Amino acid sequence: MKSSLYRCVAPALMSVVLAAPSAARAEVDLAKSSISAVSKQMNVPVAGVFKKFSAHVSFDPVKPSAAIAQIAVEVGSYDLGDPSYDSQVAGKDWFDARTYPTATFASSAIAAAGGNQYNVTGKLTIKGKSAIVTVPVTFTERDHTQTLDGSVPIKRSQFDIGTGEWKDTSIVADEVIIKFHLVAPKF
């Protein structure tokens, strides 16, 4: 039972952290974009994908400090590939999606880090708990699109993900890696 809950919990944490570039404000192409989370249960990687999220970005690589990124993830949409795990992770012990349906990330600073690399700092909020995180992001322009890729480790305990018997990090690790691939129209 702990293992099934863990598979739902680790990715649940990852619900947000990113920035997406584009010279004008744009919504990302959800059909081409993804947000996932990878955790470890009994030292075995467990990955899941958030099926419902929105992201609004404004980015000009010439002026990264003027960029903004806002992301909202429906934590109840976390998909571990098994409906019973999915419902467990959405439940009170993990995401508590009924009480806290959305995890958010709002950028506060974006700085060039050399080449096509940027550091995006902002507030990540999950289950009503907030933390300032900095996410390394790779920006790519191709044809008519701009793509942002990155990942950031977070601690699930910082956001009260995994309560009761799941609070113990010896079965489900505290660290969760949030990964994202955001694609937006190029302006």
Side-chain angles (χ1 to χ4, degrees), residues 36-91:
S36 63
V38 179
S39 59
K40 288 188 177 180
Q41 182 174 343
M42 296 173 46
N43 212 29
V44 175
V46 176
V49 177
F50 291 94
K51 296 288 191 170
K52 295 180 182 179
F53 63 93
S54 63
H56 306 278
V57 298
S58 177
F59 182 83
D60 180 349
V62 176
K63 294 178 90 178
S65 62
I68 61 166
Q70 297 174 336
I71 299 163
V73 176
E74 290 184 33
V75 296
S77 75
Y78 191 66
D79 185 355
L80 288 162
D82 182 306
S84 66
Y85 294 153
D86 299 345
S87 65
Q88 285 179 4
V89 79

Side-chain angles (χ1 to χ4, degrees), residues 18-21 58-69 105-122 133-139 148-149 180:
L18 329 132
S58 177
F59 182 83
D60 180 349
V62 176
K63 294 178 90 178
S65 62
I68 61 166
F105 176 82
S107 67
S108 57
I110 300 176
N116 64 342
Q117 306 293 308
Y118 297 85
N119 289 320
V120 180
T121 300
V133 298
T134 298
V135 184
V137 175
T138 301
F139 172 68
L148 291 164
D149 290 290
F180 58 90

Side-chain angles (χ1 to χ4, degrees), residues 93-181:
D93 285 341
W94 293 106
F95 279 125
D96 195 2
R98 285 185 190 209
T99 305
Y100 305 99
T102 307
T104 60
F105 176 82
S107 67
S108 57
I110 300 176
N116 64 342
Q117 306 293 308
Y118 297 85
N119 289 320
V120 180
T121 300
K123 182 165 77 171
L124 174 63
T125 303
I126 305 170
K127 282 186 80 173
K129 307 265 189 256
S130 297
I132 301 300
V133 298
T134 298
V135 184
V137 175
T138 301
F139 172 68
T140 308
E141 290 184 294
R142 286 198 183 104
D143 300 323
H144 302 289
T145 62
Q146 297 178 329
T147 303
L148 291 164
D149 290 290
S151 65
V152 64
I154 63 170
K155 301 290 186 190
R156 67 181 178 90
S157 60
Q158 187 173 7
F159 299 96
D160 288 338
I161 304 291
T163 60
E165 69 178 314
W166 296 108
K167 192 169 188 163
D168 178 7
T169 59
S170 67
I171 301 295
V172 177
D174 198 19
E175 182 175 84
V176 176
I177 307 296
I178 299 172
K179 298 180 179 184
F180 58 90
H181 174 76

